[in-house]
Amino acid sequence: MKITDASVVVTSPGRNFVLLKVTTEDGVVGWGDATLNGRELAVASYLRDHVCPLLVGRDATRITDTWSYLYKGAYWRRGPVTMTAIAAVDVALWDVAGKLAGAPVHRLLGGAARDEVTLYGHASGATVEEALEDVAAHLDAGYRAVRVQAAVPGAEAGSYGVPPADGRVYEPASGERPAEDRWDTAAYLDFLPQLMAAVRERFGYGFALLHDAHHRLSPIEAGRLGASLEPYRLFWLEDPTPAEDQSAFRTVRQHTTTPLAVGEVFNSIWDCQQLITERLVDYVRTSVSHTGGITHLRRVFSLADLYGVRSGSHGASDLSPVSFAAALHVDLAIPNFGIQEHMGHRDPAGEVFRTGYEVADGVAHPGDAPGLGVDVDEEAAARYPYAPRYLPVNRLRDGSVHDW
Ligand code: CS2
Ligand code: MG
């Protein structure tokens, strides 16, 4: 089944997405997600200029061969741009494979290993009280797992995961240049146990409680934070330290039994080899679209399974509905599923993406349509042209650039 066309769609229905469309000689279309938040056009060019021409004429059903051809064949391996581009091809070919087989992708991955995919939602607030109200709203909506973030008194502007006052989603996208935030680690370390105590005091222990430190701590600060959160029995503490330093997790681990999760910035199995084989984390949060697609993500999770580490796939809204669907198919099929992040997509994204997955009561199912079950309306996509948008840059009080 030859590939006859491969093209890139860049669209911005509320936020930027880069998509890859692969068409076969029989007219079967597969979609992949190539979105890399804030660096979108680099991946679009990698695909358009270097990958699409190589895809034409290849057999669409040889997914592993195409993966290796693009990974080993470029000589230059790994990195977010390369691995996001390879992921887009891989996911599009799995979509084609499902459509050719008349089966949902999860069936090709071994079939459903569970009935539904447990999601965690994001509760947040500018104050503790606001965050508590949002937790209540999530529990009322049926979530059995909730990530909680709130503005840190004294470091409000730099607090990760809190929506700006104007009603936009958090992670405010700024235009030609990134916005600059100010951050205070000491204030955060004192505040977070108070926030988690307030959540447990109000709502008890009958649901999974998560928190994202967003890579901002040193190893010993993270160890201290994890220890101070132990009474609140977190499901996980996410990204305690900058994720590129795998051995840092040894220090964190030595100081706390709070479960640890990391991986949204990983692109390869090599980024988490030590973390997994030394059992330094409990959850790998790698995303399907930044880690070489379904083919490579399965490899990561298979290695993790050997060591009792579970999955926790990244599901932020900068990953398009194509990625979210692909993640759900993997989640449903692997033995060591942990939890799936759910941030959702706001309109007008719904005009561009027709999704077949079901999300309700804190759980999801990818659906049983052939392939991934997501279609892209290219006319609608063309109505929303690309506009540059960047994640914020973070600075300490003295002006030093810090991790955002
Ligand atoms: C976040 C992400 O979902 C998460 O846990 O850390 O939203 C992350 O900040 C974005 O994906 C960055 O693009
Ligand atoms: Mg995160």
Side-chain angles (χ1 to χ4, degrees):
M1 178 62 63
K2 279 198 174 21
I3 297 171
T4 48
D5 191 50
S7 59
V8 175
V9 172
V10 180
T11 179
S12 193
R15 65 184 314 154
N16 292 318
F17 295 114
V18 178
L19 304 162
L20 177 71
K21 179 185 181 188
V22 170
T23 309
T24 71
E25 57 190 331
D26 275 14
V28 177
V29 168
W31 288 100
D33 182 14
T35 309
L36 185 61
N37 200 5
R39 295 293 185 272
E40 297 88 356
L41 299 185
V43 189
S45 158
Y46 191 108
L47 285 168
R48 269 186 191 131
D49 298 333
H50 304 292
V51 173
C52 291
L54 304 181
L55 292 179
V56 174
R58 294 185 67 80
D59 182 344
T61 64
R62 294 184 60 182
I63 301 178
T64 306
D65 183 69
T66 296
W67 198 96
S68 303
Y69 179 81
L70 294 175
Y71 182 79
K72 297 184 179 175
Y75 187 64
W76 311 108
R77 299 176 183 189
R78 308 197 276 161
V81 175
T82 298
M83 297 304 278
T84 302
I86 295 178
V89 175
D90 185 78
V91 169
L93 295 186
W94 278 101
D95 193 18
V96 168
K99 287 170 180 164
L100 289 174
V105 167
H106 64 80
R107 205 171 294 156
L108 307 188
L109 300 176
R114 54 196 51 75
D115 300 331
E116 57 193 21
V117 172
T118 304
L119 304 171
Y120 72 89
H122 289 192
S124 61
T127 61
V128 171
E129 195 46 46
E130 253 183 56
L132 294 178
E133 282 165 23
D134 206 9
V135 174
H138 279 79
L139 295 176
D140 287 349
Y143 282 96
R144 303 193 289 254
V146 186
R147 190 190 88 169
V148 184
Q149 313 285 136
V152 179
E156 284 85 353
S159 302
Y160 165 75
V162 181
D166 62 7
R168 283 177 298 154
V169 281
Y170 69 83
E171 292 184 4
S174 47
E176 299 290 334
R177 281 173 191 279
E180 298 210 358
D181 290 345
R182 290 280 160 156
W183 176 246
D184 183 337
T185 302
Y188 168 74
L189 291 176
D190 287 343
F191 168 70
L192 198 66
Q194 297 171 36
L195 173 66
M196 294 299 154
V199 173
R200 287 307 196 194
E201 202 173 297
R202 175 93 49 105
F203 302 103
Y205 285 78
F207 66 101
L209 176 59
L210 298 81
H211 178 76
D212 188 350
H214 226 255
H215 308 117
R216 294 177 179 198
L217 306 176
S218 72
I220 201 67
E221 287 165 349
R224 177 187 141 197
L225 180 67
S228 66
L229 295 177
E230 281 168 21
Y232 314 114
R233 303 206 290 270
L234 265 61
F235 183 89
W236 78 35
L237 173 63
E238 175 177 334
D239 293 345
T241 53
E244 60 268 41
D245 183 358
Q246 296 188 51
S247 67
F249 281 77
R250 283 200 197 120
T251 306
V252 187
R253 236 349 179 208
Q254 278 159 9
H255 289 88
T256 181
T257 56
T258 292
L260 303 174
V262 68
E264 65 186 41
V265 296
F266 291 166
N267 352 101
S268 152
I269 198 165
W270 307 106
D271 293 334
C272 46
Q273 181 187 23
Q274 182 186 4
L275 292 174
I276 292 171
T277 58
E278 292 187 24
R279 303 174 204 268
L280 299 179
V281 294
D282 303 279
Y283 298 89
V284 177
R285 297 190 57 262
T286 304
S287 78
V288 68
S289 61
H290 297 148
T291 318
I294 291 172
T295 298
H296 197 64
L297 189 66
R298 277 218 296 174
R299 232 180 134 198
V300 171
F301 291 156
S302 296
L303 177 67
D305 192 26
L306 283 182
Y307 293 89
V309 174
R310 292 194 283 156
S311 75
S313 280
H314 190 201
S317 46
D318 51 292
L319 311 178
S320 85
V322 173
S323 268
F324 188 64
L328 290 179
H329 285 281
V330 173
D331 294 339
L332 199 69
I334 58 172
N336 56 328
F337 170 73
I339 203 162
Q340 170 67 51
E341 182 179 28
H342 177 239
M343 229 171 130
H345 297 93
R346 289 189 170 194
D347 281 335
E351 289 175 34
V352 174
F353 299 94
R354 307 268 153 73
T355 57
Y357 47 75
E358 292 155 32
V359 177
D361 299 325
V363 295
H365 191 283
D368 289 316
L372 293 172
V374 177
D375 275 331
V376 177
D377 181 332
E378 290 178 78
E379 278 177 24
R383 290 199 295 272
Y384 298 100
Y386 169 81
R389 289 195 182 97
Y390 292 99
L391 289 167
V393 168
N394 213 11
R395 289 186 189 274
L396 301 178
R397 284 209 166 144
D398 70 358
S400 318
V401 174
H402 193 62
D403 304 87
W404 182 78

